[in-house]
């Protein structure tokens, strides 16, 4: 079992090795933005299984390596992605990896990318629903 | 074992299919799910995990035409939605979990949900940790086809916000899922406003009411001010209405006058009087006759079964509907009013020619919210012309039926759940 002493398990000690890597700098921020589709949409549905020829984590590691080797990434792309993240998170659009952005990135979150290349219905397309559930042609801007 | 599991699951994975509609959703309305044996959490008991998932699926059922059933027996590839916990590399999945913090779960459209067991998942209403219920509802949303939604209060927000007390699906989340699967539809056996008398702190009697919809053996309380049903409904009839038939009723009547205050339920050829003080049916009437009693005995001139009924406080008559006929029963005289029964079209003429239920009405409902009488049949309803309507438009016939509207566009989100989800 995971060692605990409190009745409600609130003191569960977690091993450092099982701790998720915090987003602390632009390097890890860029990884974050790439992982969740802000750099470019992720083909999430092709990711799933060990035997799949598509390995999301391998692509991710390639990006890590590229960044680590100092290969220049497109800084404009990073700033643009950062602003997009700030926008959807309700943060000021500074384009800078500031404290508020870092805090938002380190919140617990769902692993599904925010930008999926397969998405055809997004939050901005919620419109009127007729009784058969068909999406009517008029879209509503938020 | 992981490769075998992955092979089983990958064979059944369905590709996204836009189809002809241009959006992506399950094509069937009853979906099975299972918490896979290899994927139990180490933090909660298996029963707790299954209970939370049953509740999570039910919450989506309560706002959409979808129903979910836990399937622990079928071959895994036949189960529509599979859930499991894992850490790091897990369950044959190519998307590693990152340890404690940040990612807590992920899901794929039309299939699998994985939870990171390095997170501190907790049961609902537990102070600390991450609410498994809230995460499960979110991930199920993905499986059903919803993307992340960046709106404060949405369950589909990508980031986790601590669960406040009473976490529920808000209006926009409902509309998002209904955008994919449509709205809930269906007829009702009866609809009524239940009158309650309460004593204020000052000792005064105040009259309050609640609206109830009944269908077969279930019922919903409808919150008119919120345009939705009570969270957690439907409930079985036996839970809230002791002594009436468990499989449903035909009609509800509240005879409310200066001399009388009596509630009746009707089913088949019988009726019961309801004891509002003790919240159950009376065992017998004041004359010592046991309930249920025959309609023909309690209401001379009438026989069951009936379609529906309502009490008209304007003339102190109960109007019974049976096929194409309407019976007006004079409560004071304890007999049918002269000239009745009459054809429903004569008593409730159509305002627009041809737009009429023509009999076999499901429910006659006087709404105190709208101060109007409604006749419901199937998915449609007709509002009866009232005195105010006639004052504004004298040409309207007395008790005329205004053009029909759809029930589900007036009373929203009255949704079934799977029978196995009635009691979690």
């Amino acid at each position: 079992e995971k060692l605990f002493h409190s009745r409600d398990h609130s003191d569960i000690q977690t091993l450092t090795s099982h701790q998720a890597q915090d987003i602390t700098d632009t390097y890890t921020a860029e990884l974050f933005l790439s992982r969740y589709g802000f750099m470019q949409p992720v083909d999430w549905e092709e990711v799933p299984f060990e035997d799949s020829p598509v390995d999301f984590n391998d692509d991710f590691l390639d990006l890590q390596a590229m960044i680590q080797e100092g290969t220049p990434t497109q800084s404009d792309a990073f700033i643009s992605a950062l602003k997009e993240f700030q926008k959807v998170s309700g943060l000021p659009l500074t384009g800078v990896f500031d404290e508020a952005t870092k805090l938002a990135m380190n919140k617990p979150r769902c692993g599904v990318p925010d930008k999926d290349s397969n998405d055809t219905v997004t939050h901005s397309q919620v419109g009127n629903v007729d009784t058969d559930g068909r999406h009517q042609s008029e879209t509503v801007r938020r | 074992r992981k490769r075998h599991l992955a092979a089983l699951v990958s064979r059944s994975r369905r590709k996204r299919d836009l189809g002809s509609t241009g959006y992506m959703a399950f094509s069937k309305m009853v979906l099975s799910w299972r918490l896979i044996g290899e994927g139990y959490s180490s933090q909660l008991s298996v029963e707790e995990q299954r209970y939370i998932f049953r509740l999570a699926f039910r919450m989506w059922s309560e706002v959409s035409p979808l129903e979910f059933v836990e399937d622990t027996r079928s071959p895994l590839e036949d189960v529509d939605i599979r859930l499991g916990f894992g850490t790091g590399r897990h369950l044959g999945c190519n998307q590693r979990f990152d340890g404690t913090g940040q990612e807590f779960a992920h899901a794929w459209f039309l299939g699998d949900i994985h939870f990171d067991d390095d997170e501190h998942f907790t049961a609902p209403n537990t102070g600390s940790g991450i609410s498994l219920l809230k995460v499960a509802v979110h991930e199920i949303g993905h499986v059903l086809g919803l993307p992340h939604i960046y709106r404060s209060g949405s369950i589909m927000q990508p980031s986790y916000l601590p669960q406040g007390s009473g976490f529920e699906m808000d209006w926009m989340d409902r509309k998002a899922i209904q955008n994919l699967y449509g709205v809930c539809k269906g007829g009702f056996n009866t609809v009524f406003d239940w009158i309650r008398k309460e004593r204020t702190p000052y000792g005064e009697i105040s009259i309050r009411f609640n609206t109830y919809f009944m269908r077969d053996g279930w019922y919903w309380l409808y919150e008119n001010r919120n345009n939705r049903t009570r969270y957690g409904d439907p409930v079985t009839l036996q839970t809230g209405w002791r002594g009436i038939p468990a499989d449903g009723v035909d009609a509800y009547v509240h005879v409310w006058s200066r001399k009388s205050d009596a509630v009746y339920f009707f089913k088949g050829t019988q009726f019961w009087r309801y004891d509002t003080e003790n919240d159950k049916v009376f065992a017998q009437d004041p004359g010592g006759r046991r309930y249920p009693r025959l309609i023909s005995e309690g209401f001379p001139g009438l026989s069951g079964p009936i379609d529906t009924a309502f009490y008209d406080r304007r003339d102190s008559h109960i109007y019974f509907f049976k096929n194409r006929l309407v019976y007006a029963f004079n409560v004071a005289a304890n007999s049918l009013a002269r000239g009745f029964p009459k054809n429903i079209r004569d008593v409730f003429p159509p305002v627009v020619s041809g737009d009429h239920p023509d009999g076999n009405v499901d429910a006659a409902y006087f709404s105190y919210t709208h101060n109007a009488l409604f006749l419901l049949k199937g998915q449609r309803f007709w509002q009866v012309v009232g005195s105010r309507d006639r004052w504004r438009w004298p040409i309207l016939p007395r008790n005329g039926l205004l053009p029909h509207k759809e029930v589900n566009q007036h009373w929203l989100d009255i949704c079934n759940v799977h029978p196995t989800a009635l009691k979690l």
Side-chain angles (χ1 to χ4, degrees):
Chain A
E1 66 169 22
K2 282 187 179 177
L3 179 64
F4 67 92
H5 297 290
S6 299
R7 180 191 294 272
D8 63 356
H9 300 210
S10 58
D11 64 332
I12 278 182
Q13 301 298 311
T14 51
L15 298 172
T16 308
S17 60
H18 292 296
Q19 197 77 25
Q21 183 181 18
D22 282 347
I23 311 299
T24 55
D25 51 27
T26 55
Y27 160 66
T28 48
E30 189 161 353
L31 292 177
F32 176 98
L33 295 171
S34 177
R35 187 176 185 88
Y36 296 113
F38 289 94
M39 299 294 286
Q40 65 179 31
V42 172
D43 191 0
W44 177 249
E45 293 297 313
E46 290 300 327
V47 168
F49 297 106
E50 280 181 332
D51 296 336
S52 166
V54 176
D55 189 326
F56 180 77
N57 283 302
D58 281 351
D59 290 343
F60 197 67
L61 290 171
D62 285 344
L63 175 63
Q64 271 186 310
M66 190 168 71
I67 295 171
Q68 282 178 328
E69 287 171 4
T71 307
T73 56
Q74 297 180 12
S75 58
D76 285 348
F78 170 71
I79 292 171
S80 174
L82 193 64
K83 282 186 175 177
E84 179 66 21
F85 173 78
Q86 290 170 332
K87 178 183 172 185
V88 301
S89 302
L91 298 171
L93 306 185
T94 61
V96 172
F97 181 62
D98 48 32
E99 278 303 309
T101 305
K102 182 164 76 173
L103 199 64
M105 284 185 176
N106 281 301
K107 282 183 182 174
R109 61 156 289 144
C110 173
V112 175
D114 289 9
K115 309 285 181 181
D116 185 338
S117 59
N118 291 307
D119 275 344
T120 59
V121 176
T122 67
H123 67 285
S124 64
Q125 291 183 12
V126 173
N128 294 323
V129 180
D130 65 20
T131 53
D132 291 326
R134 289 187 294 271
H135 177 66
Q136 295 187 353
S137 58
E138 182 181 16
T139 57
V140 177
R141 280 199 176 277
R142 289 187 177 278
Chain B
R1 198 162 73 167
K2 281 187 183 176
R3 274 193 286 276
H4 172 64
L5 174 64
L8 280 178
V9 177
S10 64
R11 270 206 298 274
S12 66
R13 281 291 312 280
R14 280 153 286 196
K15 292 290 186 181
R16 284 178 181 250
D17 179 11
L18 290 177
S20 60
T21 58
Y23 65 88
M24 300 160 289
F26 280 99
S27 58
K28 55 180 183 175
M29 288 297 161
V30 180
L31 301 170
S32 61
W33 66 272
R34 180 188 298 170
L35 170 59
I36 59 176
E38 295 87 350
Y40 291 146
S41 172
S42 61
Q43 302 178 68
L44 299 163
S45 70
V46 174
E47 273 314 305
E48 270 182 311
Q49 294 168 54
R50 290 173 61 197
Y51 166 78
I52 290 169
F53 292 145
R54 278 197 293 270
L55 178 55
F57 280 110
R58 185 186 156 123
M59 289 178 74
W60 283 110
S61 269
E62 290 172 3
V63 300
S64 72
L66 293 165
E67 294 181 12
F68 301 94
V69 56
E70 185 181 10
D71 184 342
T72 55
R73 297 189 176 190
S74 300
L76 190 61
E77 61 262 32
D78 293 338
V79 177
D80 296 308
I81 304 171
R82 297 160 291 262
L83 305 96
F85 291 80
T87 59
R89 282 276 189 204
H90 60 277
L91 302 174
C93 177
N94 218 6
Q95 176 74 351
R96 278 191 295 267
F97 279 131
D98 54 5
T100 306
Q102 296 194 26
E103 282 190 28
F104 50 67
H106 49 231
W108 282 270
F109 174 62
L110 295 189
D112 311 322
I113 303 176
H114 300 157
F115 300 88
D116 185 354
D117 211 24
D118 274 329
E119 303 301 332
H120 181 208
F121 287 113
T122 56
N125 298 321
T126 305
S128 60
I130 293 180
S131 167
L132 179 58
L133 175 65
K134 196 170 186 184
V135 171
V137 172
H138 175 100
E139 299 302 330
I140 293 169
H142 283 314
V143 171
L144 298 179
L146 293 179
H148 282 145
I149 297 175
Y150 311 104
R151 178 179 48 77
S152 175
S154 173
I155 188 56
M156 297 309 298
Q157 268 197 331
S159 295
Y160 175 82
L161 295 172
Q163 174 185 341
S165 62
F167 138 68
E168 295 287 351
M169 217 83 72
D170 72 3
W171 173 268
M172 292 303 293
D173 285 334
R174 291 164 178 255
K175 297 307 128 186
I177 195 67
Q178 289 165 8
N179 218 22
L180 296 178
Y181 294 96
V183 297
C184 295
K185 301 175 186 175
F188 298 96
N189 296 129
T190 191
V191 184
F192 57 90
D193 282 349
W194 173 265
I195 304 297
R196 293 182 287 113
K197 298 187 185 73
E198 293 179 349
R199 197 171 287 277
T200 68
Y202 304 103
E204 298 165 325
I205 299 287
S206 72
I207 308 293
R208 305 177 74 84
F209 70 92
N210 289 109
T211 303
Y212 292 97
F213 285 75
M214 289 186 172
R215 176 188 294 153
D216 299 329
W218 305 351
Y219 75 95
W220 296 257
L221 184 152
Y222 191 82
E223 297 182 5
N224 293 286
R225 72 183 73 179
N226 295 320
N227 286 313
R228 57 164 174 77
T229 58
R230 176 175 53 190
Y231 293 133
D233 282 7
V235 188
T236 58
L237 281 184
Q238 297 158 298
T239 304
W241 308 89
R242 291 184 293 165
I244 66 173
D247 59 345
V249 296
D250 295 328
Y252 160 98
V253 169
H254 181 197
V255 177
W256 192 22
S257 65
R258 287 182 183 176
K259 294 181 183 178
S260 183
D261 185 359
V263 171
Y264 300 99
F265 285 98
F266 298 81
K267 170 79 173 187
T269 58
Q270 300 173 320
F271 75 98
W272 295 253
R273 186 175 169 190
Y274 202 78
D275 181 357
T276 57
E277 294 294 319
N278 295 300
D279 202 20
K280 61 180 180 178
V281 296
F282 280 106
Q284 56 191 27
D285 70 2
R289 289 163 292 199
R290 296 193 64 79
Y291 285 107
R293 293 182 58 200
L294 288 176
I295 293 175
S296 55
E297 291 178 359
F299 302 89
L302 180 72
S303 64
I306 58 169
D307 292 326
T308 191
F310 78 98
Y311 176 73
D312 193 335
R313 294 174 64 202
R314 294 175 301 180
D315 59 8
S316 303
H317 283 47
I318 301 175
Y319 286 83
F320 292 94
F321 296 76
K322 185 170 180 174
N323 300 322
R324 287 175 169 243
L325 297 177
V326 177
Y327 297 72
F329 188 86
N330 188 324
V331 176
N334 199 41
S335 63
L336 284 183
R338 187 181 301 175
F340 284 86
K342 294 181 180 180
N343 189 284
I344 187 173
R345 276 181 172 265
D346 295 330
V347 183
F348 299 96
V351 170
V352 173
S353 174
D355 193 340
H356 198 276
D358 260 336
N360 299 107
V361 174
D362 290 336
Y365 165 42
F366 182 81
S367 165
Y368 288 96
T369 299
H370 301 93
N371 197 28
L373 175 68
F374 301 101
L375 301 184
L376 284 76
K377 181 177 180 180
Q379 296 173 33
R380 294 177 170 183
F381 74 94
W382 289 258
Q383 181 171 341
V384 177
V385 170
S387 53
R388 180 174 290 185
D389 299 314
R390 297 192 73 219
W391 181 79
R392 293 180 69 183
W393 299 287
I395 197 173
L396 291 174
R398 186 170 185 275
N399 289 334
L401 296 188
L402 296 170
H404 77 274
K405 294 179 183 177
E406 299 293 314
V407 172
N408 59 62
Q409 292 183 1
H410 199 77
W411 293 280
L412 308 176
D413 305 346
I414 306 176
C415 299
N416 279 354
V417 299
H418 195 270
T420 57
L422 271 179
K423 290 181 182 177
L424 296 177

